[in-house]
Amino acid sequence: MVERIIQEKYADITLQKGINLQKNQTLFVTAPVEGAEFARILAEKAYGLGAKNVHINWEDDTITKLKYTNAAEEVMETFPEWRKEMQESFAEEGAAFVSIHATDPDLLNEVDPNRIAKASKAAGIALKNFREYMMNDRVTWTVISIPTKAWAKKIFPNQMDEEAVASLWNEIIKMVRVDQDDPVTAWDEHNNNLQKAHEYLNEKQYEKLILKAPGTNLEVGLPKGHIWQGGAAVSEKGIVFNPNLPTEEVFTAPHKYNVNGTVSSTKPLNYGGTLIDNFQLTFKDGEVVDYKAEQGQDVIKHLLENDEGSRRLGEIALVPDESPISQSGLIFYNTLFDENASCHIALGKAYPTNVEGGADMNEAELDQNGINDSMVHVDFMIGSNEMDIDGVKEDGTHEAVFRNGTWAFSL
Ligand code: ZN
Ligand code: ZN
């Protein structure tokens, strides 16, 4: 186990730089039961900062697996009304949300993908309103991780349980800059650098990007008035927060009707407790028209059939290969980390804030502006040190954006 002092520093960064907790604000934490020690530290620190109330929403991999294996089919097809109401009521009162993601990447590998698809669809429908709060930054929220045994063993299979957990703690604290003397200043500097990158791209207003790498030749159209974001975000109430710890990406919304070509994954994807690996998607006019996967073909099939929007893109994110997460050389089997090691795209819902005025647009307006909607948002990794990206300007000229997996311009 990592020393308490390190966990305290991590809790501080989560509350100050992650959600930027305000005095008298309620905190809603989703945490694995294995992480009870850290969740308690987080609660103590939050009350120390003047939190009004701290609610922990416990999750337990064992119970989840028992449910997916044994519960009746109709349980898979429904999402409890009280849970939807609980989450929405916290959002309505302006709570801040911390989600601690630490699922065993192999948890549901043996469960019938039909059952998983039914459950995620039911949750997707029930949590539509709640999702709007997050994806429009109407509340402050952050996603972080702490090691659990099963997850740590997946990354470090040759180590004993305790050793694997300690190794993963070591990696996480480096990536969230908690190993530095002054993590708050380190985060301010990092946010500053990400801001320079997205300001450069916003200025350019490329009409499309062309991504080339082994197995990938993809043209990604960008909506008029698209906005690149990265690092800190600003909530509706003007509170600056970091939605992901760690974060290394700058991202925007692809045009939902203008993506063409083929893209190959470069890292496995842990989707809802099952793994998808070595997969390829082919797009025409924004829609996936062909796909194949060495592992998880069925899971991709269900994902693409989830709804109309799950066959289109909702995000393109650029991450240079110098990212400390990429440099670790590890595969984390956890999207929060893997997506920050690699350029990625997401199937499903786009962030409305990625286009000018998007947070105030209705569904039809978002559609007209090329902004995708779906019940899902699933990031997958396509970057490597072999990826080149060109930006195409309105007059048709090409400019280098990425060469050999990193920025082709100086910041
Ligand atoms: Zn992303
Ligand atoms: Zn994403």
Side-chain angles (χ1 to χ4, degrees):
M1 205 16 97
V2 69
E3 299 149 67
R4 190 181 162 97
I5 182 97
I6 298 289
Q7 295 197 52
E8 285 181 1
K9 276 175 89 176
Y10 189 21
D12 285 337
I13 275 297
T14 302
L15 298 171
Q16 290 171 35
K17 290 283 134 181
I19 48 170
N20 191 358
L21 186 74
Q22 304 291 298
K23 269 210 162 55
N24 250 325
Q25 192 178 18
T26 290
L27 172 62
F28 183 98
V29 182
T30 299
V33 286
E34 246 189 279
E37 186 187 355
F38 180 73
R40 289 179 192 128
I41 293 171
L42 205 59
E44 193 184 327
K45 291 275 182 183
Y47 283 121
L49 289 168
K52 180 175 159 194
N53 176 26
V54 180
H55 177 82
I56 313 276
N57 177 40
W58 296 108
E59 279 188 347
D60 182 348
D61 273 0
T62 306
I63 301 295
T64 303
K65 187 173 181 178
L66 282 169
K67 181 172 174 174
Y68 273 90
T69 312
N70 297 291
E73 201 75 9
E74 72 250 34
V75 175
M76 297 291 113
E77 289 163 358
T78 47
F79 189 87
E81 192 62 25
W82 66 266
R83 264 190 64 186
K84 163 187 148 77
E85 278 169 13
M86 173 187 70
Q87 290 186 220
E88 282 181 16
S89 73
F90 277 101
E92 267 161 40
E93 79 154 277
F97 292 82
V98 174
S99 297
I100 306 176
H101 277 208
T103 318
D104 172 1
D106 293 319
L107 185 70
L108 303 179
N109 274 353
E110 281 134 46
V111 174
D112 175 4
N114 272 307
R115 289 170 63 82
I116 300 172
K118 278 180 183 168
S120 68
K121 188 160 186 171
I125 293 169
L127 296 176
K128 183 173 170 37
N129 274 340
F130 181 70
R131 206 166 41 242
E132 301 287 339
Y133 278 99
M134 303 278 164
M135 293 188 78
N136 288 307
D137 294 338
R138 290 178 60 199
V139 293
T140 51
W141 55 282
T142 195
V143 183
I144 66 164
S145 286
I146 55 170
T148 51
K149 247 181 232 165
W151 176 33
K153 286 284 283 184
K154 178 78 180 176
I155 307 171
F156 303 104
N158 300 323
Q159 298 182 8
M160 305 290 284
D161 287 1
E162 294 298 307
E163 194 189 350
V165 167
S167 298
L168 184 50
W169 263 119
N170 255 329
E171 293 298 332
I172 291 176
I173 61 173
K174 262 190 277 173
M175 285 159 196
V176 296
R177 296 174 162 75
V178 166
D179 63 330
Q180 308 206 9
D181 291 340
D182 183 356
V184 171
T185 305
W187 268 98
D188 289 341
E189 278 168 14
H190 181 53
N191 277 331
N192 220 349
N193 286 335
L194 290 169
Q195 190 180 347
K196 281 186 202 154
H198 66 70
E199 280 174 357
Y200 176 94
L201 292 168
N202 282 336
E203 188 86 7
K204 291 287 182 187
Q205 282 296 308
Y206 291 121
E207 210 164 50
K208 65 181 171 186
L209 299 178
I210 301 175
L211 284 61
K212 284 191 178 152
T216 292
N217 189 348
L218 188 72
E219 289 199 14
V220 179
L222 301 175
K224 269 203 171 31
H226 64 268
I227 297 172
W228 289 89
Q229 298 178 330
V234 184
S235 79
E236 200 179 56
K237 291 201 180 107
I239 296 169
V240 178
F241 69 105
N242 271 279
N244 287 180
L245 303 181
T247 187
E248 302 289 335
E249 61 175 316
V250 298
F251 64 97
T252 193
H255 195 292
K256 69 182 276 194
Y257 297 115
N258 188 14
V259 178
N260 288 286
T262 297
V263 66
S264 295
S265 69
T266 51
K267 285 174 191 287
L269 164 64
N270 170 15
Y271 174 56
T274 49
L275 278 182
I276 312 174
D277 203 3
N278 289 323
F279 56 100
Q280 203 167 56
L281 304 175
T282 301
F283 290 85
K284 190 172 184 309
D285 299 330
E287 194 177 25
V288 175
V289 289
D290 197 15
Y291 62 95
K292 59 172 191 244
E294 266 173 35
Q295 186 184 346
Q297 174 93 3
D298 266 9
V299 186
I300 291 206
K301 180 173 183 285
H302 285 296
L303 170 60
L304 294 170
E305 286 171 357
N306 189 81
D307 57 27
E308 218 259 315
S310 67
R311 292 188 287 278
R312 297 182 186 273
L313 292 185
E315 178 186 339
I316 175 160
L318 307 183
V319 180
D321 193 50
E322 304 92 275
S323 143
I325 299 152
S326 176
Q327 292 303 314
S328 77
L330 295 167
I331 291 172
F332 286 91
Y333 305 96
N334 178 324
T335 301
L336 175 63
F337 292 87
D338 292 326
E339 74 170 340
N340 281 304
S342 166
C343 289
H344 56 271
I345 50 185
L347 285 168
K349 187 172 172 59
Y351 292 91
T353 49
N354 277 140
V355 70
E356 271 170 46
D360 300 320
M361 287 182 193
N362 62 29
E363 278 174 33
E365 289 167 331
L366 286 168
D367 180 69
Q368 278 159 20
N369 281 276
I371 302 298
N372 195 30
D373 191 21
S374 171
M375 283 181 283
V376 297
H377 176 99
V378 182
D379 297 278
F380 59 97
M381 286 57 78
I382 58 166
S384 69
N385 57 12
E386 294 178 287
M387 176 160 276
D388 288 343
I389 302 175
D390 274 8
V392 182
K393 295 171 81 173
E394 217 170 6
D395 63 9
T397 51
H398 287 227
E399 288 181 351
V401 175
F402 250 53
R403 285 295 177 265
N404 301 315
T406 193
W407 299 114
F409 51 85
S410 54
L411 295 173

